[in-house]
Amino acid sequence: MSWPGAGRMQRGLTLLELLIATVLTALLMTGLVHFASAAGSSNQLMENQALLQDQLRLSRRVLAPAIMQAGFDPAPWKATESIEGLGDGTVNAHNRGNDRLVVREYSDRNCFENLNPVRDSTGQPAFHIRESTFDVSSDRHLTRDCRYGPALTDLTVQIRRQGLVPGVESFQMLFGEDSDGNGNIERWTHAGKWDHKHDVTGIMVGLLLASQDAVVEPAAETFTVLDEIETTRADGKLRMAAEFVFSLRGKGR
């Protein structure tokens, strides 16, 4: 007994049928490749968006303690060396248009947050001067230098060019002056343009952050970072401009 189609099965596929099957397979594979590529691009985009948010949070976390404690003296009534919260190295447009910030405080912890091994008269860790310098390196990292010691003339470098936050394309600052001592900031100005450095009670920080990867259509963009206009390269990277305002809580008048 012969079954219907048995002869056709024995003959195999014709050339036309084989070509049709090959074309259909190619179309299916092309669709799968495009789908996988789109899914991969979407995942990369979301990863870089998340990393930008991490860079933003990290920037605030590393700057806030140093700025807010600037000028802190645990016993201002004692005859100890008086320090300004802002160091003389604080400069506007220091490096490729980026600012540099130098802040000082008295601390019983060194640059590594370890308690000072030197003891005071009560047996407690002594308060020495801790000076932190923030600026942007050539590879676009927000960096920190840190010195620690008993006097401004006797500071030891403990941290040099520590890269803290990657992808920083602009680091700008404005300084708020409370010139009449009423607790309110009357004006914001650039480093060195203040009337009296001692009257600076707040710092406004502006950042332009860039993602690690190129994940969008390449196009030049313009951002306002505080009072500076920044035009970016058309490299397909995500970017975000952000501003923080910090009060110098450690500063005494």
Side-chain angles (χ1 to χ4, degrees):
M1 176 182 294
S2 62
W3 297 94
R8 181 167 178 265
M9 291 176 64
Q10 292 174 354
R11 290 195 311 273
L13 295 174
T14 66
L15 180 58
L16 178 59
E17 290 170 330
L18 184 60
L19 287 174
I20 292 173
T22 302
V23 170
L24 291 175
T25 301
L27 290 174
L28 177 61
M29 292 301 297
T30 300
L32 289 174
V33 169
H34 283 309
F35 177 78
S37 177
S41 298
S42 178
N43 288 337
Q44 190 180 30
L45 175 62
M46 289 188 292
E47 288 175 2
N48 278 267
Q49 288 173 332
L51 287 173
L52 268 182
Q53 293 295 330
D54 288 342
Q55 290 166 244
L56 181 63
R57 286 189 289 268
L58 180 58
S59 299
R60 184 179 182 87
R61 191 160 66 243
V62 301
L63 289 169
I67 294 176
M68 294 169 69
Q69 287 296 104
F72 174 73
D73 188 338
W77 57 87
K78 291 186 178 180
T80 57
E81 180 179 10
S82 177
I83 61 167
E84 286 278 4
L86 294 174
D88 294 335
T90 299
V91 180
N92 182 61
H94 164 67
N95 179 20
R96 294 183 303 174
N98 295 305
D99 296 349
R100 181 175 66 186
L101 174 66
V102 180
V103 286
R104 298 174 180 146
E105 61 177 297
Y106 274 101
S107 177
D108 59 354
R109 294 179 180 271
N110 64 15
C111 297
F112 303 105
E113 294 298 331
N114 298 322
L115 285 170
N116 191 351
V118 177
R119 302 288 162 162
D120 61 18
S121 58
T122 67
Q124 297 300 311
F127 280 79
H128 284 180
I129 298 171
R130 183 166 65 180
E131 179 186 85
S132 295
T133 300
F134 298 94
D135 64 6
V136 178
S137 64
S138 58
D139 59 352
R140 300 182 185 278
H141 277 70
L142 180 65
T143 68
R144 178 194 180 213
D145 289 6
C146 185
R147 302 193 300 163
Y148 190 71
L152 286 175
T153 56
D154 190 18
L155 297 178
T156 300
V157 176
Q158 294 185 331
I159 294 176
R160 188 185 300 276
R161 302 300 279 177
Q162 177 189 22
L164 300 173
V165 183
V168 177
E169 297 194 336
S170 183
F171 176 49
Q172 308 295 329
M173 290 176 296
L174 291 172
F175 298 84
E177 284 188 270
D178 175 17
S179 55
D180 58 10
N182 67 353
N184 298 318
I185 290 175
E186 278 74 51
R187 74 177 188 122
W188 293 92
T189 187
H190 291 113
K193 300 297 183 181
W194 43 63
D195 292 331
H196 301 286
K197 187 166 60 174
H198 184 72
D199 291 334
V200 173
T201 60
I203 299 178
M204 188 183 302
V205 176
L207 294 169
L208 179 60
L209 304 172
S211 66
Q212 177 180 342
D213 304 315
V215 290
V216 294
E217 192 70 25
E221 297 181 274
T222 299
F223 292 87
T224 301
V225 184
L226 298 186
D227 58 350
E228 298 291 329
I229 305 299
E230 304 283 350
T231 301
T232 68
R233 294 167 293 176
D235 54 11
K237 291 186 176 184
L238 288 175
R239 287 180 170 84
M240 173 193 303
E243 297 179 4
F244 306 118
V245 178
F246 304 103
S247 62
L248 278 64
R249 297 179 183 173
K251 181 182 179 303
R253 295 193 61 87

